Amino acid sequence: MEVGLGNIISNVLIAVLGAIFTGKAFRFIHEGELGIKLRFGKALRNSDGTPRIIRPGFVLIIPFVETLQRRNVRQQTLALSDQTVMITDNLIFTVSAMVMFRVIDIYRALFEIDELDQSLKDLSMAILREVLAKKTHDGLTDMEAMSKELLDALKPKGHEWGVEFLQFRLTD
C-alpha cells in the first residue's frame, strides 16, 4: 500500500483547515461580560423577538458566518478631564469630575450608540458645563446637592443608551 505525496499534502491541508476552523469556532465570554451573537451582521433573537444574550463561558460560533460582540457590564468609572466653566457671576472655574455607570441593556449599549465610553464622557462633560454655568459662586458650595443635580440631568439619556448612571461627582 503506497502513500502518495498528494495524499500526504491533502491530509496535512485538511488538518490545518480543521485546526483553523476549530480555533475560530470557539470564543469565550469572561465573567462580568455579556455578549450578542451576530449571524451575517444581524443579532440573533429569541422566539419573542428579544436579542439573544450570551452569558459568560464558552461560545460556539460558525466561523465566517457568525461573530460575537461582547461588552463589560460591571460598574465602570469615567474620569472627566478638567473643564473650564464660566458661572453666572462671570467667574471662571476649572473643575474635574468622575461618572460611575454600568451597562444594563447590552443590546442598546452595543448597537444603539457608537463608541459608548467616549459618548458617555462627552455627554457628561456637556452636562457638567451646562449645569455649572447656571450657578453662582454661592451655589457652588453644596457639593452633594450639585452632584445630585448633575446625576439627575444625566440619567434620562442613560436609559436610552442602555446604561444606568450611579454617581456623578466633582473631584476637584
Side-chain angles (χ1 to χ4, degrees), residues 11 17 20 22-23 31 40 55-56 60 62 82 99 106 129 132-133 144 165:
N11 287 341
L17 289 176
I20 291 171
T22 302
E31 193 68 37
F40 296 115
R55 305 272 174 215
L60 179 64
I62 303 167
D82 291 346
V99 177
I106 186 72
R129 284 190 302 270
L132 292 183
E144 209 48 48
F165 292 103

Side-chain angles (χ1 to χ4, degrees), residues 1 14 19 42 46 70 146 148:
M1 177 163 152
I14 289 171
K42 189 173 180 180
N46 297 319
R70 298 181 288 213
M146 208 165 12
K148 182 180 178 345

Side-chain angles (χ1 to χ4, degrees), residues 11-105:
N11 287 341
V12 169
L13 185 61
I14 289 171
V16 168
L17 289 176
I20 291 171
F21 181 81
T22 302
K24 292 197 173 279
F26 290 102
R27 295 286 187 265
F28 189 76
I29 295 182
H30 298 278
E31 193 68 37
E33 291 181 331
L34 291 177
I36 294 181
K37 196 186 292 188
L38 304 173
R39 184 170 292 148
F40 296 115
K42 189 173 180 180
L44 296 180
R45 298 190 174 271
N46 297 319
S47 59
D48 63 355
T50 59
R52 189 177 308 160
I53 306 299
I54 309 296
R55 305 272 174 215
F58 281 104
V59 179
L60 179 64
I61 64 168
I62 303 167
F64 311 109
V65 173
E66 294 178 337
T67 56
L68 181 67
Q69 294 285 324
R70 298 181 288 213
R71 173 72 196 181
N72 183 348
V73 293
R74 291 177 287 217
Q75 182 174 307
Q76 299 170 67
T77 302
L78 289 175
L80 306 180
S81 57
D82 291 346
Q83 297 291 302
T84 303
V85 180
M86 181 183 292
I87 62 174
T88 57
D89 298 343
N90 290 329
L91 296 174
I92 297 175
F93 283 89
T94 301
V95 296
S96 58
M98 56 76 84
V99 177
M100 293 177 69
F101 72 96
R102 71 178 161 177
V103 173
I104 56 173
D105 185 337

Side-chain angles (χ1 to χ4, degrees), residues 93-164:
F93 283 89
T94 301
V95 296
S96 58
M98 56 76 84
V99 177
M100 293 177 69
F101 72 96
R102 71 178 161 177
V103 173
I104 56 173
D105 185 337
I106 186 72
Y107 182 82
R108 285 183 180 195
L110 286 173
F111 302 113
E112 297 284 322
I113 185 76
D114 191 31
E115 299 287 332
L116 179 66
D117 290 342
Q118 186 60 46
S119 296
L120 291 174
K121 191 178 270 193
D122 293 343
L123 175 66
S124 300
M125 289 192 304
I127 287 176
L128 177 65
R129 284 190 302 270
E130 180 183 315
V131 169
L132 292 183
K134 296 176 186 174
K135 299 283 184 192
T136 63
H137 183 264
D138 295 332
L140 297 177
T141 56
D142 189 0
M143 298 287 274
E144 209 48 48
M146 208 165 12
S147 292
K148 182 180 178 345
E149 184 178 350
L150 289 165
L151 184 62
D152 290 343
L154 192 58
K155 278 186 176 182
K157 200 64 163 176
H159 177 71
E160 183 180 323
W161 290 355
V163 298
E164 175 186 25

